[in-house]
Amino acid sequence: MTEDDRTRAMRSPGDGRPLPPRPSDGLRSGGAPAHHLPSGGPGAPTHKLPAAAQVPESPRVDEPVRGSSRVYGRERSGKSPVRPFKSRGQEPPRGPGGPAGRGGGPRGPRRRISWKAVVAVVAGLLVVLLVAAVALFFVIDSRLSGIDGVLDDYEGRPADTPGTNWLLVGSDSRKGLTAAQRKKLATGQAAGQRTDSMMLLHIPEGSDKPTLVSLPRDSAVTIPGKGRDKLNSAYAIGGPKLLVRTVETVTGVHVDHYMEIGFAGFVDIVDAIGGVEINVRAAVNDPKAGLNLKKGVQELNGSQALGYVRTRKGGALPDFERTKRQRQFLGAVVKKAASPGVLLNPFTSIPLAFSATDAVEVDSGTGAFNMLSLGLAMGDSPVTTVVPFGGNEVIPGGGTAVKWDRAKALALFDALKSDQPVPKEVVDAS
């Protein structure tokens, strides 16, 4: 009995019947069946089966078995195939033969954005914006309508003073308005052109704030060559040129720039910026101005804003209250126009620029750069006041006019001429 027979007999059941052979009992090293191997001692020749009939070697314990869920001694749930082992820091192969990306194709190398490319794109955009801004600046400059001779010299004209002085005029011109627009805006059918509001803006050379002074239209003044009359009569008699000369004569302040706006331009500018927010201090109902406003903060469109600055309703001194509303409105318009929401939006800034150039008339020496400095000054929250006055004066042509407080008025204009802050008592009086 051979050694294998004795081993089989030892694990046979008690009835002496041998157990069926195990699969491994029929193979020897080399893969040949046991009964084909000759018995003998060491060194006996062995016979191998052909390669197709050989049984593959058992897999190593550190490799996954195809179709098995046991990996590295742990059970995996599910039927998904086992991924190959990847050590820390090791990337799977890419390209052909590597793991597929989304869509089934091979995953290509990631593209990194170069900082040089980003800087180049940003620089290109800045150049385009700069060129567009410069082009728009020159377009605006070419569209400004200049009035010749407004600031011509004359004998006895006040000398140039420190700082920059603007005479800002709102006229009652109906130019450009249709009959329907005149009716809607309640401007009336009056012919000719008169000054509806006048302000003197002083922009200092130093760090002090600008000063905006209202000149009441009914002020009693001496018009050169015409005698004593209301201030707004100077414009009706001799236009912008005589008005500038009259203001310089009675104030002693040298006017450097002149700007005028009519009814139509006023409405267009307000509508171009989408209306303006005004705190109405008292309810106003004035059918002649086409105005009916409640008290409180509210958004006014162009038509309402025009009525708001023109009405004489409200207050014990209607003309005084009117000048206060005009200064309030002018500051609100400039603040809205200079806001980022308007300036940085081409759909509002460009129409505003074109509306403004169509709406205003300036002296022939004023350009877009001067208009920019005016806007910046108005956006700097200027000190606002009105020429101090007290009592009335009967004028030769009939009627009464507002008489200025001579001492306080001189203190105000002397401060502007010397480029100094306006005295506090003058500001408080407004």
Side-chain angles (χ1 to χ4, degrees):
M1 180 181 293
T2 65
E3 182 178 356
D4 290 339
D5 293 336
R6 288 193 299 269
T7 303
R8 189 176 296 111
M10 292 176 62
R11 57 186 181 88
S12 298
D15 56 1
R17 290 183 290 107
L19 292 174
R22 292 183 302 182
S24 61
D25 291 343
L27 298 177
R28 293 294 186 187
S29 175
H35 63 275
H36 287 169
L37 295 177
S39 62
T46 60
H47 298 276
K48 294 183 179 181
L49 293 175
Q54 294 182 9
V55 178
E57 296 182 358
S58 300
R60 295 180 302 179
V61 296
D62 60 344
E63 292 182 353
V65 178
R66 185 180 299 277
S68 173
S69 61
R70 181 181 294 275
V71 181
Y72 315 134
R74 293 185 303 171
E75 294 290 340
R76 289 178 56 92
S77 61
K79 298 182 180 180
S80 59
V82 180
R83 295 184 178 180
F85 172 76
K86 183 177 73 173
S87 61
R88 181 177 299 176
Q90 179 182 353
E91 292 291 335
R94 300 184 181 276
R102 293 182 179 179
R107 182 184 300 171
R110 293 181 180 178
R111 293 183 179 180
R112 294 184 177 181
I113 300 177
S114 171
W115 281 108
K116 292 183 178 180
V118 174
V119 171
V121 171
V122 173
L125 291 175
L126 291 177
V127 169
V128 171
L129 292 176
L130 180 61
V131 171
V134 171
L136 182 61
F137 181 85
F138 282 106
V139 169
I140 293 174
D141 189 73
S142 65
R143 290 172 57 90
L144 283 173
S145 177
I147 307 174
D148 294 328
V150 176
L151 301 179
D152 286 350
D153 284 332
Y154 55 88
E155 186 178 353
R157 186 183 186 189
D160 194 9
T161 54
T164 304
N165 301 307
W166 285 78
L167 181 58
L168 309 177
V169 175
S171 74
D172 63 357
S173 171
R174 279 80 171 169
K175 183 180 179 180
L177 294 176
T178 64
Q181 288 174 323
R182 291 186 181 189
K183 182 178 180 180
K184 178 181 178 181
L185 299 176
T187 62
Q189 303 295 325
Q193 192 169 338
R194 288 156 294 275
T195 51
D196 210 51
S197 62
M198 289 164 284
M199 300 182 196
L200 191 62
L201 174 67
H202 175 74
I203 304 175
E205 290 183 348
S207 59
D208 293 329
K209 285 186 174 295
T211 302
L212 183 65
V213 182
S214 290
L215 308 174
R217 52 174 278 174
D218 291 336
S219 299
V221 297
T222 300
I223 301 175
K226 301 299 178 179
R228 203 73 173 164
D229 207 335
K230 294 181 180 180
L231 180 58
N232 68 338
S233 297
Y235 188 96
I237 296 171
K241 185 174 181 178
L242 184 57
L243 176 62
V244 170
R245 184 172 179 178
T246 302
V247 171
E248 288 184 333
T249 300
V250 299
T251 65
V253 176
H254 181 94
V255 175
D256 300 299
H257 297 283
Y258 175 87
M259 187 186 77
E260 177 186 324
I261 184 172
F263 285 166
F266 185 97
V267 174
D268 289 343
I269 289 178
V270 175
D271 288 339
I273 61 176
V276 62
E277 186 178 272
I278 292 290
N279 182 15
V280 180
R281 296 184 176 91
V284 182
N285 186 6
D286 185 2
K288 290 184 177 180
L291 189 66
N292 187 4
L293 298 177
K294 296 180 179 180
K295 181 181 178 180
V297 178
Q298 52 202 289
E299 194 88 8
L300 304 185
N301 58 29
S303 175
Q304 292 172 319
L306 179 60
Y308 183 73
V309 299
R310 291 186 62 224
T311 183
R312 290 173 177 267
K313 296 285 186 177
L317 298 172
D319 198 55
F320 178 69
E321 293 296 329
R322 189 168 181 260
T323 60
K324 291 177 65 175
R325 287 194 299 270
Q326 290 169 351
R327 295 194 303 273
Q328 176 197 21
F329 172 78
L330 184 58
V333 168
V334 174
K335 181 179 179 181
K336 177 73 175 290
S339 64
V342 173
L343 285 183
L344 301 181
N345 184 356
F347 295 102
T348 54
S349 59
I350 294 178
L352 172 62
F354 283 87
S355 295
T357 52
D358 289 338
V360 302
E361 289 184 299
V362 295
D363 64 275
S364 56
T366 295
F369 182 80
N370 304 115
M371 296 294 290
L372 178 61
S373 66
L374 171 64
L376 293 176
M378 288 301 303
D380 192 25
S381 301
V383 176
T384 62
T385 186
V386 64
V387 179
F389 59 89
N392 295 323
E393 178 182 334
V394 178
I395 55 178
T400 59
V402 177
K403 188 176 181 179
W404 290 357
D405 184 319
R406 182 175 178 81
K408 290 183 179 180
L410 285 177
L412 168 64
F413 296 128
D414 285 344
L416 299 184
K417 287 188 292 184
S418 59
D419 200 27
Q420 297 296 319
V422 177
K424 188 175 183 299
E425 60 270 16
V426 174
V427 177
D428 290 343
S430 65

